[in-house]
Amino acid sequence: MGLSSSASSRSEFARCFECNKVSIFAPLHWLALAFKDMARAPLLSLVYGLVFTAIPAALLFFVYSSQSHLVILPAAVAFALVGPAFAAGLYDVAWELEKGHTPTFRHSLKSMFRNPAGEWGFAVLLMVVMIVWMRLAALVHALYPNTVNPTLEELSAFLTLGSIIGGVLLVSVFAISAFTPQIMMERRVDIMTAVVSSMNAVRNNVGAMVVWCACIVSLVLLGFITGTAGFIVIMPLLSYASWHGYIAIIKTKRPRSYE
């Protein structure tokens, strides 16, 4: 009996959820649905938008006021720890709308603690990745030329190695985080199951994920260009769209959709 239970437990760990194949421009549809969610829950979207705007605004404030790059890492770590929790609140709003319910702020707050072990584990995972990136960046910076006005040829080794390492880390972080928070919130599974399922979904939808990544980068840049004020709308929009992407790609026993 004990051996059977142990084997069953192992089989349930780090399993991979099946995924659907979506069209390359599916992310644009997710954004369109996200606009509908914002229109149906404007007050909740505004509240969470203000919270998400305060985080990058505080990060920029600390950088400018301290005149030191040393505050970037702790600020980024704080964002990694707090950000996923607030994103879960927005996922809950979209989920409630999907079910035909009226979303409430209280219900969305409860969703942040639906899978606390998984959510904190995911936050710690992102924190570790950021620390690794900072250490690697410091090593790569050692290749920077000592001359005052280095030529492109002198910078080539620094730029090439930095781009390769940064690109690999960016793709890795995107793959493990694309659907991991949504999976853990709805299904309360372990973090490895969520991460493996997210990576598998990204691998099977490379075209759509490239478009989705381009949308995220463009909107985040727009947020910073507007002095972080744009994040009031951008962050709820991206969170709702992420939920619709999760619905479209990660398979469930009973097919569902939201239009």
Side-chain angles (χ1 to χ4, degrees), residues 55 59 62 72-84 120 123 127 130:
I55 296 174
L59 193 153
F62 286 133
I72 296 177
L73 178 58
V77 168
F79 179 77
L81 293 172
V82 177
W120 280 105
M127 180 182 68
M130 280 190 290

Side-chain angles (χ1 to χ4, degrees), residues 17 19 101 117 128 130 157 176 182 210 214 250 255:
F17 296 125
C19 65
H101 299 168
V128 170
M130 280 190 290
I176 66 176
Q182 300 94 311
V210 170
I250 303 298

Side-chain angles (χ1 to χ4, degrees), residues 140-151 154-155 158:
V140 172
H141 195 268
L143 296 175
Y144 195 86
N146 294 323
T147 56
V148 178
N149 295 309
T151 64
E154 292 174 325
L155 287 170
F158 169 76

Side-chain angles (χ1 to χ4, degrees), residues 122-139:
F122 180 61
V124 171
L125 176 61
L126 293 181
M127 180 182 68
V128 170
V129 173
M130 280 190 290
I131 292 174
V132 170
W133 163 240
M134 294 297 289
R135 294 299 88 202
L136 289 175
L139 292 174

